Amino acid sequence: MNKLIIGAVLASTFLLGACSAEEPEEPKEVKASVPSGYERVASDEFYADNDVSVIMHKETKCYYTLASGSYDTTVSITQMFVKENGVSVPYCEK
């Protein structure tokens, strides 16, 4: 009987200690991080959890799109191209 009471007291102490009186923190807004060597030029959010940014490579001055999906589970970087004299060329500052 004593073991049962001691066990119940220990279990309730453990459960009460695990509970927190503080309010849970709100989730922080997270955007896909820009890879090193790039800088974010523009950014836009569409739908609830999707983000698209235009980033520029600091050395080559070429532009890319950085898209992140829901909760950053999908991230893609795509180089931007323009047509010049009928030929696709990378979109870069000269």
Side-chain angles (χ1 to χ4, degrees), residues 8-40:
V9 169
L10 287 176
S12 63
T13 303
F14 175 74
L15 290 174
L16 288 175
C19 295
S20 175
E22 297 176 14
E23 290 291 319
E25 288 185 26
E26 289 293 320
K28 296 177 181 166
E29 182 178 332
V30 177
K31 290 186 177 182
S33 61
V34 177
S36 62
Y38 293 83
E39 66 179 87
R40 190 180 311 262

